[in-house]
Coordinates of all heavy atoms in Angstrom, one line a residue:
D347 N 94.5 171.1 185.4 CA 93.9 169.8 185.9 C 94.8 168.6 185.6 O 94.7 167.6 186.3 CB 92.5 169.7 185.2 CG 92.6 169.7 183.7 OD1 93.2 170.6 183.2 OD2 91.9 168.8 183.1
L348 N 95.6 168.7 184.6 CA 96.5 167.6 184.3 C 97.8 167.6 185.1 O 98.5 166.6 185.2 CB 96.9 167.6 182.8 CG 95.8 167.5 181.8 CD1 96.3 167.5 180.4 CD2 95.0 166.2 182.0
L349 N 98.0 168.7 185.8 CA 99.1 168.9 186.7 C 98.9 168.4 188.1 O 99.8 167.9 188.7 CB 99.4 170.4 186.7 CG 100.7 170.9 187.5 CD1 101.9 170.4 186.8 CD2 100.7 172.4 187.5
C350 N 97.6 168.4 188.5 CA 97.3 168.1 189.9 C 96.0 167.2 189.9 O 95.0 167.7 189.4 CB 97.2 169.4 190.7 SG 96.7 169.1 192.4
E351 N 96.1 166.1 190.6 CA 94.9 165.2 190.8 C 93.8 165.9 191.5 O 92.6 165.7 191.1 CB 95.3 164.0 191.5 CG 96.2 163.1 190.7 CD 96.7 161.9 191.5 OE1 96.1 161.5 192.5 OE2 97.7 161.3 191.1
K352 N 94.1 166.7 192.5 CA 93.0 167.4 193.3 C 92.3 168.4 192.4 O 91.0 168.5 192.5 CB 93.6 168.2 194.4 CG 94.1 167.4 195.6 CD 94.6 168.3 196.7 CE 95.3 167.5 197.8 NZ 95.9 168.4 198.8
V353 N 93.0 169.0 191.5 CA 92.3 170.0 190.6 C 91.6 169.2 189.5 O 90.5 169.6 189.1 CB 93.4 170.9 189.9 CG1 92.8 171.8 188.9 CG2 94.1 171.7 191.0
A354 N 92.1 168.1 189.1 CA 91.4 167.2 188.1 C 90.0 166.7 188.7 O 89.0 166.7 188.0 CB 92.2 166.0 187.7
G355 N 90.0 166.5 190.0 CA 88.8 166.0 190.7 C 87.8 167.1 190.8 O 86.6 166.9 190.8
D356 N 88.3 168.3 191.1 CA 87.4 169.5 191.3 C 88.2 170.8 191.0 O 89.2 171.1 191.7 CB 86.9 169.5 192.8 CG 85.9 170.6 193.0 OD1 85.7 171.5 192.1 OD2 85.3 170.6 194.1
I357 N 87.8 171.4 189.9 CA 88.5 172.6 189.4 C 88.6 173.7 190.5 O 89.5 174.6 190.4 CB 87.9 173.1 188.1 CG1 88.9 174.1 187.4 CG2 86.6 173.7 188.3 CD1 90.1 173.5 186.9
R358 N 87.7 173.7 191.4 CA 87.7 174.7 192.5 C 88.9 174.6 193.4 O 89.2 175.5 194.2 CB 86.4 174.6 193.3 CG 85.2 175.0 192.5 CD 83.9 174.8 193.2 NE 83.6 173.4 193.2 CZ 82.4 172.9 193.3 NH1 81.3 173.7 193.5 NH2 82.1 171.6 193.2
N359 N 89.7 173.5 193.3 CA 90.9 173.3 194.1 C 92.1 174.0 193.4 O 93.2 173.9 193.9 CB 91.2 171.8 194.3 CG 90.2 171.2 195.2 OD1 89.7 171.8 196.2 ND2 89.8 169.9 194.9
T360 N 91.9 174.7 192.3 CA 93.0 175.3 191.6 C 93.9 176.1 192.4 O 95.1 176.0 192.4 CB 92.5 176.1 190.4 OG1 91.8 175.2 189.5 CG2 93.6 176.8 189.6
F361 N 93.3 177.0 193.2 CA 94.1 178.0 194.0 C 94.5 177.4 195.3 O 95.2 178.1 196.1 CB 93.3 179.3 194.2 CG 93.0 179.9 192.8 CD1 91.7 179.8 192.2 CD2 94.0 180.6 192.1 CE1 91.5 180.4 191.0 CE2 93.8 181.1 190.9 CZ 92.5 181.0 190.3
R362 N 94.1 176.2 195.6 CA 94.6 175.5 196.9 C 95.7 174.5 196.6 O 96.4 174.0 197.5 CB 93.4 174.7 197.5 CG 92.3 175.6 198.0 CD 91.3 174.8 198.8 NE 90.0 175.6 198.7 CZ 88.9 175.2 198.1 NH1 88.9 174.1 197.4 NH2 87.9 176.0 198.1

Side-chain angles (χ1 to χ4, degrees):
D347 55 312
L348 302 179
L349 185 65
C350 176
E351 292 174 17
K352 288 181 186 176
V353 176
D356 186 350
I357 193 68
R358 290 175 282 207
N359 290 325
T360 298
F361 298 103
R362 294 184 204 111

